[in-house]
Amino acid sequence: MIFRAYLGVILTVLIWGGNVVAVKVLLEYFSSGQTIGIRLGFAAAVLLLLALRSGWPRWTWRDWLAVAGAGLLGTTLFQGFYVAGISRSPAGISGLANAVVPIAVVLLGSLVGQKPNRPQVAGVLVSLTGMLWLFAQTLMPGSVLSPLGLAFLGLAALSWAAYTLANRPLVARLGLLPFVGFATLIGALPFILPVLPTLGQAHAPPLIWGLALLSGLLANVFAFLAWANGAQVLGAARISIWQNLSPLLAFGLATLLLSERFTPGEVAAAGLTLAGVVVANWPGRSKVRSEKY
């Protein structure tokens, strides 16, 4: 059981890092809306089938409103901002959006009475310094970074952090799979419905269609379930440090597969941002977790 949990966590990190590059490739063949709609439509269908194995949920209308609101935060807003950020940013930098979610969770949690500890405060300050440095790099001649792209990635991290804070009591009351399945479906509908009539006009080879479906299945279904199992078996603190390897993998894959190149200042700023995340997210400290899927 422990071996399988570790294997799932390691595969999840690989999937999250590779998914940034996969989305970057998909955006060369599909529009942003199509990229989100295809991936999430398939993932939502799989999650819904898994959720309905125990029957239709007997929720109140307030529960349904809460699930819809969570879907808006964690799927509609997050996916919209995330793909918009990736389309305007190098894949190697876009991977940081996943990493800084714990920083956003600490910032938003402090607004609702969740007092951060000293390491979390230090990590937030270091990461924010790195982010400001990264934004400053967009002003340098020859920079491949876009301030608008970085802003969208930051909004994606904030959206997911808000979803993380909101979903904990809902998962405990409504159940993990039913909540995630219906929240994902409801949140994905604004992307799925508009792109359905346009799919016949999409000119992409079968391999790219397969990549889109595989991206949705792995990143939005398998990775989430594997990460949740790892947190349950090994503990969130023990697996937390693995999350920080995802942007490093995305950076490496983008450099190797997409031939992306960065200035020393851009690399240093990204490294400082990630260093702050590591400080705030180091195992053994009590904190709000920010599972990503």
Side-chain angles (χ1 to χ4, degrees):
M1 180 179 294
I2 293 179
F3 172 78
R4 185 165 58 181
Y6 268 119
L7 180 61
V9 169
I10 294 172
L11 289 175
T12 296
V13 171
L14 295 175
I15 290 168
W16 285 345
N19 190 57
V20 178
V21 177
V23 171
K24 192 73 174 179
V25 172
L26 293 174
L27 287 170
E28 297 181 5
Y29 296 89
F30 302 112
S31 68
S32 296
Q34 289 173 332
T35 300
I36 301 173
I38 296 169
R39 293 176 58 253
L40 285 188
F42 184 58
V46 174
L47 285 170
L48 196 61
L49 288 175
L50 294 175
L52 290 177
R53 288 187 304 174
S54 56
W56 190 266
R58 298 180 179 180
W59 297 339
T60 66
W61 65 269
R62 289 187 176 86
D63 291 333
W64 282 106
L65 283 179
V67 170
L72 174 66
L73 279 174
T75 301
T76 310
L77 292 181
F78 170 75
Q79 291 290 339
F81 289 141
Y82 188 51
V83 174
I86 291 179
S87 67
R88 293 169 173 83
S89 306
I93 296 297
S94 299
L96 282 176
N98 294 334
V100 301
V101 168
I103 299 299
V105 169
V106 172
L107 290 173
L108 293 181
S110 64
L111 299 178
V112 294
Q114 297 181 4
K115 186 178 180 180
N117 56 35
R118 290 182 179 178
Q120 287 175 328
V121 172
V124 168
L125 292 177
V126 172
S127 278
L128 288 179
T129 301
M131 292 178 207
L132 290 175
W133 188 5
L134 203 57
F135 269 101
Q137 291 298 305
T138 64
L139 304 177
M140 302 299 291
S143 175
V144 296
L145 302 180
S146 160
L148 183 58
L150 294 179
F152 277 131
L153 293 174
L155 288 172
L158 286 174
S159 299
W160 190 266
Y163 168 79
T164 299
L165 292 171
N167 75 2
R168 295 181 184 281
L170 293 173
V171 168
R173 189 172 80 250
L174 305 178
L176 182 61
L177 273 175
F179 167 76
V180 172
F182 281 97
T184 302
L185 176 63
I186 294 172
L189 286 177
F191 297 109
I192 297 173
L193 296 179
V195 304
L196 283 177
T198 71
L199 294 183
Q201 305 169 7
H203 301 289
L207 185 62
I208 297 300
W209 282 96
L211 179 63
L213 297 180
L214 188 64
S215 171
L217 179 64
L218 293 181
N220 295 83
V221 180
F222 173 82
F224 164 70
L225 296 177
W227 191 262
N229 179 67
Q232 182 178 9
V233 175
L234 304 172
R238 187 177 297 179
I239 69 172
S240 62
I241 195 62
W242 290 91
Q243 184 174 354
N244 302 313
L245 297 179
S246 176
L248 295 178
L249 179 62
F251 189 91
L253 290 175
T255 302
L256 292 174
L257 301 179
L258 302 180
S259 300
E260 293 184 350
R261 297 293 181 267
F262 304 95
T263 66
E266 291 166 351
V267 174
L272 187 62
T273 301
L274 188 57
V277 178
V278 173
V279 171
N281 206 38
W282 195 260
R285 297 186 175 101
S286 176
K287 56 185 175 297
V288 178
R289 288 301 310 136
S290 54
E291 285 79 1
K292 177 78 185 66
Y293 60 89

